[in-house]
């Protein structure tokens, strides 16, 4: 199979997590992963980003081709609309929590927590990645966004290992949101 340029977008994921490991402020680049799918869905009315240009999807595809997936079908409940919408709401509530934490630091009601929280449970010390050169709220947002992105990456990798390579794509919060946008655009026409 001929490789297209977008098959190498897995490099973006690797770069993102590597840069954030050394300097947390690079976590702000994660907003690209939030904005591009929505911009493309609103602009084109399709899920082209999800199907072709998603760095996480390309990472999962590449790892699946290397044999890291059991290639089993997902259970029906994970494909259900209720689960997908519920996970999307949960994910965006967690993103709201990231924004709220940054707001607390900005307003002086909270202090900077230089930790990355994995799977919304385990706090990993991550102090070496912040040099104090920016406002603390900027760093707090970066720590929160990196936590969210790393958590979703771990969930995606675990799902890939147990099920099909791109099983994460079935219930990805951004994919679910872009699907809602695409359906709304199609209904409008």
């Amino acid at each position: 199979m001929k490789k297209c340029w977008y098959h190498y977008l897995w490099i973006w994921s690797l770069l993102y997590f590597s840069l954030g490991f050394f300097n947390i402020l690079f976590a702000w680049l994660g907003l690209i992963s939030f904005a591009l799918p929505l911009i493309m869905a609103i602009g084109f009315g399709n899920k082209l980003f999800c199907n072709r240009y998603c760095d996480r999807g390309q990472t999962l595809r590449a790892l699946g081709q290397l044999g890291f997936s059991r290639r089993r079908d997902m259970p029906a409940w994970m494909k259900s609309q209720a689960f997908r919408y519920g996970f999307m709401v949960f994910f965006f509530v967690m993103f709201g929590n990231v924004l709220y934490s940054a707001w607390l630091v900005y307003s002086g009601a909270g202090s900077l927590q230089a930790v990355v929280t994995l799977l919304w449970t385990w706090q990993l010390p991550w102090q070496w990645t912040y040099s104090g050169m920016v406002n603390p709220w900027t760093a707090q947002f970066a720590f929160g966004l990196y936590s969210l992105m790393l958590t979703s990456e771990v969930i995606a990798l675990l799902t890939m290992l147990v099920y099909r390579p791109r099983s994460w794509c079935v219930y990805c919060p951004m994919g679910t949101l872009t699907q809602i946008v695409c359906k709304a655009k199609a209904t409008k026409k």
Side-chain angles (χ1 to χ4, degrees):
M1 182 173 126
K2 182 184 172 203
K3 291 222 178 207
C4 297
W5 65 270
Y6 51 82
H7 287 148
Y8 297 97
L9 287 172
W10 60 267
I11 295 170
W12 173 251
S13 278
L14 182 64
L15 214 103
Y16 175 79
F17 289 110
S18 298
L19 290 172
F21 185 79
F22 293 106
N23 187 334
I24 198 62
L25 297 179
F26 282 109
W28 279 79
L29 294 173
L31 291 177
I32 294 169
S33 297
F34 279 77
L36 274 180
L38 288 175
I39 290 168
M40 290 183 76
I42 292 167
F44 302 119
N46 60 37
K47 291 186 56 149
L48 183 63
F49 180 87
C50 293
N51 296 331
R52 188 173 290 172
Y53 304 122
C54 176
D55 56 296
R56 181 166 294 157
Q58 292 300 338
T59 301
L60 298 171
R61 181 196 57 76
L63 290 172
Q65 287 178 340
L66 293 173
F68 288 104
S69 175
R70 294 176 72 190
R71 299 187 181 279
R72 293 189 174 179
D73 283 333
M74 293 173 67
W77 65 267
M78 288 182 82
K79 298 177 189 177
S80 73
Q81 187 173 350
F83 178 75
R84 290 185 357 256
Y85 283 23
F87 188 73
M88 179 188 70
V89 168
F90 175 75
F91 185 85
F92 283 111
V93 166
M94 293 298 106
F95 182 68
N97 189 43
V98 168
L99 294 173
Y100 182 66
S101 297
W103 170 255
L104 288 176
V105 173
Y106 174 79
S107 68
S111 59
L112 175 65
Q113 301 296 310
V115 296
V116 167
T117 306
L118 185 60
L119 296 171
W120 302 287
T121 306
W122 297 289
Q123 292 189 340
L124 309 174
W126 222 259
Q127 302 89 335
W128 73 87
T129 63
Y130 176 59
S131 62
M133 296 179 63
V134 296
N135 289 325
W137 74 267
T138 306
Q140 185 64 58
F141 179 79
F143 280 111
L145 185 59
Y146 193 81
S147 297
L148 193 62
M149 297 293 281
L150 186 61
T151 292
S152 60
E153 186 75 14
V154 167
I155 293 170
L157 290 171
L158 290 173
T159 306
M160 180 225 34
L161 289 171
V162 176
Y163 304 114
R164 296 193 187 281
R166 290 188 61 170
S167 293
W168 162 260
C169 301
V170 172
Y171 64 94
C172 168
M174 293 310 297
T176 304
L177 184 59
T178 57
Q179 184 177 31
I180 292 169
V181 169
C182 293
K183 283 182 180 179
K185 282 191 70 104
T187 304
K188 236 181 192 182
K189 290 179 181 180

